[in-house]
Amino acid sequence: MNKKKKILFLTGTRADFGKIKSLIQILERHQDFDPLVFVTGMHLQKEYGYTLLEVERCGFSHIHTFENHTHETTMDLTLAKTIEGLSKYVKESNPDMIIIHGDRVEALAGAIVGSLNNVLVAHIEGGEVSGTIDELIRHSTSKMSHIHFVSNAQAKKRLVQMGELGESIFVIGSPDVDIMFSDNLPLLEEAKKYYEIDFEKYAVAMFHPVTTEVKYMQEYAKNFVNALLKDDHNYVVVFPNNDLGSKYILNEYKRLENNSRFRVFPSLRFEYFLTLLKKSQFIIGNSSAGIREAPYYGLPIINIGTRQQNRALHADIMNTDYSEKDIVAALQIIDSHKIKVSDSDFGKGNSSELFLKSLLNEDIWKLNHQKQFRDL
């Protein structure tokens, strides 16, 4: 490469930042690349822990912030505002590639801005299924992207089925696995001290809104909190994402504030979260952490409802519906639940190296900006 390639990473949540962090870091250390980080979404909301601080702690050379939150908080308006802010920054910074992750509206905004401004768009973790509005966003984002960095062969197969070119799809695993087994994770004692967690034993609880079921979310959140209050485990509880319906969950969490069995946090630093998760008794809720991270750590998992529907192909999971009765029943037997070692097909912790290798191959830069469709 003659001149440094500018690679623009887009992050809107603590979750997607955990996925792309190792990818940004490996490019920061390489002489052929100049990574830029566009920070928006939940990162800039104080209610959710103002996790811009976590991005800034990494010491990246180029960080740009844009507040996309609207008072109406509907996803279409967030999408529109993100497109507006990102478009302006792309025209100012002139990147060679935009890197987006997953299934949130920020990723879709990145794909739209890149493809309509003739910038290569690379989508991380396309070709996966979930069963909610997230799946529509993920597949739409994939169709607006030129390059795909996927977790496994099954995801690649789905993208090919969607008409994507095989030569544009690179199997690199799930990048957060790089950090999960890093030697740099804090010790449990350090994580507990940092967050003032006094429990000897505890479980992790993470419950997110399901936007396609928003009219039921108040009931679902009440059932979830009722079940936790009837239980006798200690809990580290992390706020939901800011999708439509989150206010119902946050309102229910107020009932946990003065209960000694609960420590409730707007957000946790990703490495600290991984350590706390790894050493927990189990995880309960509907977070992708129960599908992705928890199986690697061999944890019991209680997955509630439909949010992760179709994603639990490689994990030993106890699934429940949203009823208080069903959640309580699962909690009563979770301590005796025997874990089968799962075949978690999300890579071997070398995603950043495979990612870098792909970008160093000149062929990736010769892919046609005009999307092609492959007939089966």
Side-chain angles (χ1 to χ4, degrees):
M1 296 186 184
N2 298 324
K3 71 178 185 70
K4 284 188 174 186
K5 295 283 190 186
K6 288 184 181 179
I7 312 295
L8 173 56
F9 291 84
L10 176 64
T11 177
T13 72
R14 64 203 179 203
D16 69 42
F17 181 64
K19 302 279 188 178
I20 65 173
K21 182 176 178 177
S22 67
L23 308 183
I24 305 171
Q25 288 172 329
I26 201 166
L27 295 194
E28 280 272 341
R29 298 191 294 267
H30 201 282
Q31 69 274 10
D32 290 345
F33 299 100
D34 192 15
L36 317 171
V37 187
F38 185 89
V39 184
T40 186
M42 289 177 66
H43 286 302
L44 302 177
Q45 291 183 255
K46 289 182 171 59
E47 183 180 8
Y48 293 92
Y50 199 65
T51 50
L52 167 63
L53 297 174
E54 186 170 340
V55 182
E56 290 178 334
R57 281 191 191 99
C58 296
F60 299 134
S61 301
H62 306 289
I63 296 176
H64 179 84
T65 60
F66 175 75
E67 196 165 322
N68 71 351
H69 181 67
T70 61
H71 291 298
E72 294 85 354
T73 66
T74 57
M75 296 168 80
D76 53 348
L77 293 175
T78 301
L79 173 64
K81 192 167 182 182
T82 308
I83 290 172
E84 182 180 5
L86 182 62
S87 178
K88 183 173 185 288
Y89 183 66
V90 165
K91 290 174 175 68
E92 291 171 359
S93 59
N94 194 28
D96 297 285
M97 181 184 288
I98 297 174
I99 305 280
I100 52 179
H101 169 271
D103 57 12
R104 294 184 62 79
V105 292
E106 288 88 359
L108 182 56
I112 291 171
V113 170
S115 57
L116 297 184
N117 284 281
N118 204 33
V119 180
L120 280 175
V121 178
H123 184 207
I124 297 166
E125 294 190 345
E128 301 190 12
V129 292
S130 55
T132 67
I133 189 69
D134 299 347
E135 185 168 327
L136 292 178
I137 295 174
R138 188 187 300 267
H139 297 331
S140 299
T141 300
S142 290
K143 292 308 298 180
M144 296 291 288
S145 302
H146 308 93
I147 299 160
H148 311 276
F149 293 107
V150 299
S151 294
N152 49 46
Q154 182 65 38
K156 178 175 180 176
K157 181 181 178 182
R158 291 196 190 100
L159 287 175
V160 170
Q161 187 178 331
M162 288 165 60
E164 296 301 292
L165 300 177
E167 57 266 32
S168 71
I169 307 170
F170 302 86
V171 179
I172 66 168
S174 187
D176 60 332
V177 179
D178 294 12
I179 300 175
M180 286 180 66
F181 296 105
S182 164
D183 295 331
N184 299 322
L185 289 184
L187 297 173
L188 179 61
E189 293 71 24
E190 181 184 347
K192 282 185 172 182
K193 182 178 180 182
Y194 188 87
Y195 286 107
E196 298 179 353
I197 296 169
D198 297 327
F199 309 137
E200 182 181 348
K201 293 182 178 181
Y202 60 90
V204 172
M206 300 176 74
F207 192 69
H208 298 291
V210 180
T211 54
T212 49
E213 301 172 19
V214 66
K215 64 182 178 180
Y216 306 113
M217 284 313 301
Q218 188 169 8
E219 177 189 350
Y220 293 170
K222 184 177 181 180
N223 291 346
F224 179 59
V225 170
N226 283 348
L228 295 183
L229 287 170
K230 286 184 176 180
D231 187 43
D232 57 6
H233 292 92
N234 300 315
Y235 287 95
V236 171
V237 183
V238 185
F239 271 21
N241 62 35
N242 63 345
D243 285 345
L244 189 64
S246 61
K247 65 180 181 181
Y248 300 123
I249 300 170
L250 294 178
N251 191 53
E252 289 297 323
Y253 280 177
K254 290 176 183 176
R255 294 199 281 146
L256 306 176
E257 287 176 359
N258 297 315
N259 190 308
S260 61
R261 289 195 299 109
F262 296 89
R263 291 285 285 125
V264 183
F265 301 96
S267 182
L268 297 173
R269 293 174 64 180
F270 190 60
E271 284 86 351
Y272 285 72
F273 167 72
L274 289 176
T275 292
L276 289 166
L277 178 66
K278 185 177 182 179
K279 300 297 185 180
S280 68
Q281 293 173 283
F282 61 90
I283 180 171
I284 183 172
N286 61 4
S287 169
S288 61
I291 310 300
R292 281 293 172 78
E293 287 88 352
Y296 272 97
Y297 288 149
L299 291 175
I301 301 153
I302 299 176
N303 179 61
I304 300 170
T306 59
R307 187 170 183 264
Q308 300 301 335
Q309 187 177 335
N310 302 326
R311 295 191 77 179
L313 299 177
H314 304 283
D316 177 26
I317 290 177
M318 188 182 300
N319 290 296
T320 79
D321 61 28
Y322 290 108
S323 71
E324 179 182 331
K325 179 183 176 182
D326 213 30
I327 300 169
V328 168
L331 285 169
Q332 287 173 343
I333 62 172
I334 191 66
D335 290 336
S336 59
H337 182 59
K338 301 298 182 193
I339 299 297
K340 299 170 190 166
V341 178
S342 60
D343 178 22
S344 297
D345 187 17
F346 297 117
K348 296 178 171 59
N350 62 340
S351 295
S352 60
E353 286 85 359
L354 295 173
F355 172 73
L356 175 61
K357 182 179 178 182
S358 301
L359 292 189
L360 288 171
N361 188 329
E362 285 295 333
D363 290 345
I364 202 171
W365 301 100
K366 296 174 183 174
L367 286 169
N368 196 340
H369 287 60
Q370 174 60 51
K371 278 290 293 282
Q372 306 294 305
F373 189 94
R374 176 181 178 271
D375 287 310
L376 294 179

